[in-house]
C-alpha cells in the first residue's frame, strides 16, 4: 500500500460514526448504493457547523448516510433531499427517525433531480450537497450555485472518482466531467474552490457575492 493510500485509509478509519450512521452505511452497501466515505461525511458536517447552515439541499438521498452526517453538523438545520428511488428514501426516513431527527426537519422529494431543481428558489440555501448521477455532475453544480446564497457552499462528493480524475490517461466521461468541473471552478472568479483528497474526494465551492 502506498503512503497516499495509507493516508486515505487512516483518514477514514479515524472517524467515529454514530451507531445509526454505521447501520445506514451497512444497509447502503447491502442495497448496492455507494455511500460517502466517513471522512467525507465528517468534513461535510464541519462545513455545516462552521457556517451555521440552516437550509440544506441534498441531491442524492441514498439511504441517509450523507443526510445524517449533514444534520450532525447542524442541530437545527432543515434538510431537503432529492432522489428517484422511493425505496431508498423510505430506508433513509427510518434512519432519520432512529437518529431522533424530527420529521419536520427533513423533506424528502422523490423525483429526478434535474426536474426538481429548476423549481427551487435561487439564493435561498446555505449548502447544496451533491452525491448523485456522476454523468450529470456539472449540471447539478450549476443548479447548486444558483440555489445557494452568496457565501453559501456547494459540496460535491466523489470528486476524485476512484482515483481516476487525477490520472490524465483516464478519458471516460465521468472522469473527464469531474476533471473539467474542478479545473474550471478553480479558475472562476465567482467561487472560492477547494478540493479535499479525503475519501473519494470532496470539492467545496463557496459562492462569492456578485
Amino acid at each position: 500500500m502506498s503512503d497516499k493510500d495509507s493516508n486515505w485509509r487512516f483518514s477514514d478509519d479515524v472517524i467515529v460514526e454514530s451507531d445509526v450512521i454505521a447501520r445506514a452505511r451497512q444497509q447502503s452497501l447491502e442495497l448496492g448504493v455507494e455511500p460517502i466515505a466517513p471522512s467525507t461525511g465528517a468534513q461535510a458536517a464541519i462545513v455545516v457547523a462552521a457556517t451555521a447552515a440552516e437550509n440544506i439541499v441534498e441531491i442524492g438521498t441514498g439511504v441517509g448516510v450523507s443526510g445524517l452526517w449533514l444534520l450532525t453538523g447542524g442541530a437545527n438545520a432543515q434538510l431537503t433531499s432529492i432522489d428517484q428511488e422511493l425505496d431508498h428514501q423510505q430506508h433513509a426516513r427510518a434512519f432519520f427517525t432512529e437518529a431522533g431527527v424530527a420529521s419536520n426537519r427533513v423533506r424528502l422529494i422523490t423525483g429526478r433531480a434535474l426536474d426538481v431543481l429548476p423549481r427551487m428558489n435561487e439564493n435561498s440555501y446555505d449548502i447544496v450537497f451533491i452525491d448523485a448521477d456522476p454523468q450529470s455532475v456539472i449540471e447539478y453544480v450549476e443548479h447548486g450555485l444558483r440555489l445557494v446564497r452568496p457565501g453559501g457552499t456547494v459540496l460535491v462528493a466523489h470528486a476524485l472518482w476512484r482515483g481516476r480524475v487525477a490520472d490524465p490517461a483516464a478519458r471516460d466521461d465521468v472522469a473527464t466531467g469531474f476533471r473539467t468541473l474542478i479545473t474550471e471552478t478553480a479558475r472562476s472568479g465567482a467561487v472560492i474552490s477547494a478540493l479535499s483528497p479525503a475519501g473519494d474526494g470532496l470539492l467545496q465551492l463557496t459562492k462569492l457575492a456578485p
Side-chain angles (χ1 to χ4, degrees):
M1 182 181 291
S2 70
D3 289 343
K4 185 178 292 185
D5 289 338
S6 296
N7 289 336
W8 280 344
R9 177 67 60 84
F10 180 78
S11 69
D12 274 337
D13 289 347
V14 76
I15 300 299
V16 178
E17 292 190 306
S18 70
D19 290 343
V20 177
I21 295 178
R23 285 194 290 275
R25 179 177 300 283
Q26 183 60 40
Q27 178 74 76
S28 185
L29 293 171
E30 290 173 1
L31 291 172
V33 180
E34 183 178 1
I36 58 170
S39 54
T40 301
Q43 288 190 25
I46 285 175
V47 173
V48 172
T51 59
E54 296 181 353
N55 295 296
I56 303 170
V57 174
E58 178 184 43
I59 304 172
T61 309
V63 303
V65 175
S66 52
L68 287 165
W69 266 117
L70 290 163
L71 293 175
T72 296
N76 299 309
Q78 304 283 324
L79 176 69
T80 299
S81 188
I82 306 164
D83 202 297
Q84 291 190 90
E85 299 293 337
L86 176 60
D87 179 59
H88 295 167
Q89 289 189 323
Q90 289 173 334
H91 286 292
R93 176 68 75 186
F95 285 121
F96 290 136
T97 299
E98 185 179 346
V101 177
S103 60
N104 63 0
R105 292 182 57 208
V106 178
R107 178 172 64 142
L108 300 180
I109 299 175
T110 306
R112 183 172 173 267
L114 292 178
D115 294 331
V116 175
L117 293 168
R119 301 197 298 268
M120 301 180 75
N121 294 330
E122 63 182 35
N123 298 319
S124 298
Y125 298 90
D126 301 305
I127 289 176
V128 173
F129 185 88
I130 299 169
D131 182 16
D133 174 20
Q135 300 278 357
S136 301
V137 68
I138 291 177
E139 291 173 277
Y140 292 149
V141 169
E142 289 172 348
H143 282 292
L145 289 173
R146 180 182 64 83
L147 295 180
V148 293
R149 59 171 175 77
T153 298
V154 175
L155 300 173
V156 186
H158 302 292
L160 291 174
W161 196 246
R162 299 163 184 163
R164 295 184 60 78
V165 172
D167 179 4
R171 295 293 182 180
D172 58 278
D173 290 345
V174 173
T176 300
F178 274 113
R179 194 179 299 124
T180 298
L181 172 65
I182 292 165
T183 56
E184 289 190 356
T185 53
R187 299 188 188 106
S188 172
V191 299
I192 297 174
S193 69
L195 176 63
S196 166
D200 196 26
L202 181 67
L203 179 62
Q204 303 166 69
L205 306 169
T206 295
K207 180 177 176 178
L208 298 176

